[in-house]
Amino acid sequence: MKTTALALAGAGFLGLAQPAAAQDVGACLITKTDINPFFVKMKEGATAKAEELGISLSTFAGKVDGDHETQVQAVETCIASGAKGILLTASDTKAMVPVVKKARDAGVLVIALDTPLEPIDAADATFATDNFKAGELIGQWAAATLGDAAADAKIAMLDLTPSQPSVDVLRDQGFMTGFGIETGDADRIGDEDDPRIVGHDITNGNEEGGRKAMENLLQRDPDVNVVYTINEPAAAGAYEALQSFGKTEGVLVVSIDGGCPGVQNVKEGIIGATSQQYPLLMASLGIEAIAKFAETGEKPEPTPGLDFFDTGVTLVTDQPVEGVESIGTDEGLERCWG
């Protein structure tokens, strides 16, 4: 199983610090929210690994996705507490850089989880899905599913926040590339000129935001037939809006995360395909890296050929298409959360 292989590879790579070596080591996990199931599972993974290795873990979260002020305060708290390492999923990948530098200058190991900082080397390391590839996979699947009709598609883009954090941009641009849409500036959302894009709207990565964004874009063009969503809570909200408009038939909804509820939504036909990530693996490897750093001073290295440690991504769908590797929902449910 891929996640097992990845976990074993990560364990060998990081050296698996032992509990005795990690005594009195403090670590922090700072997530975007404590509501999104993705981050709930990330917290579970970090907590379990910290208990295994004897590390004292403190956890923090923003009030909503995009609340970087609370995250800044959390980093300050972790520095003051003498934490040896911080695991961070940044809501604003640019605005967090100064306080991350402050932490690193104080000798704290800072690892970005899931969402790279901008620039990526503002953190000591990044453990993440290849978010561009995750978007590309669902874009390829949608284009192949539509076939010739892809040339006349009407696509709604349900993104994350106005600040356009790196994970938002990478997934958005990856989807467009996979679908065959020429993007503009690779570091920006919304500057493409392809007429198939009905528009972009923000969701804040939650169900209510997904519903509102979908309603806005359906009002702009009621004939939307492809819906890209930043994550599965946003996809669930988008589907609710499609239902209220009587538009669920003939509309492809694609998403990213591969959490257990999201894969179940694929199984039920609410989402056509999703790219599965492994947050439990990201978090557990992050804790192992902090333990190793505390013991030896060594920092984790990226996957060869990349500027981050790749924790893997897999397309999940029950409607496979030629040329795009995927797994079905039964296997996806076995592997969800990683």
Side-chain angles (χ1 to χ4, degrees), residues 207-208 211 214-215 235-245 270:
E207 192 167 328
E208 180 182 0
R211 183 171 59 252
M214 190 72 256
E215 289 171 353
Y239 189 80
E240 291 173 11
L242 289 166
Q243 280 185 312
S244 70
F245 278 70
I270 293 169

Side-chain angles (χ1 to χ4, degrees), residues 13-67:
F13 174 68
L14 294 171
L16 271 179
Q18 298 302 312
Q23 288 178 354
D24 302 321
V25 173
C28 293
L29 172 69
I30 305 170
T31 55
K32 297 177 185 179
T33 74
D34 57 9
I35 298 171
N36 186 326
F38 183 87
F39 300 118
V40 171
K41 288 297 174 181
M42 187 175 280
K43 180 177 176 179
E44 289 179 10
T47 299
K49 183 58 68 173
E51 289 176 355
E52 177 187 331
L53 298 182
I55 288 176
S56 177
L57 179 67
S58 299
T59 62
F60 306 84
K63 298 179 180 69
V64 295
D65 207 322
D67 174 19

Side-chain angles (χ1 to χ4, degrees), residues 276-302:
Q276 187 169 71
Q277 306 182 90
Y278 304 105
L280 285 169
L281 179 61
M282 291 179 200
S284 62
L285 291 181
I287 293 294
E288 288 175 4
I290 292 171
K292 183 72 171 178
F293 177 72
E295 181 183 359
T296 68
E298 295 179 33
K299 297 181 180 182
E301 296 289 336

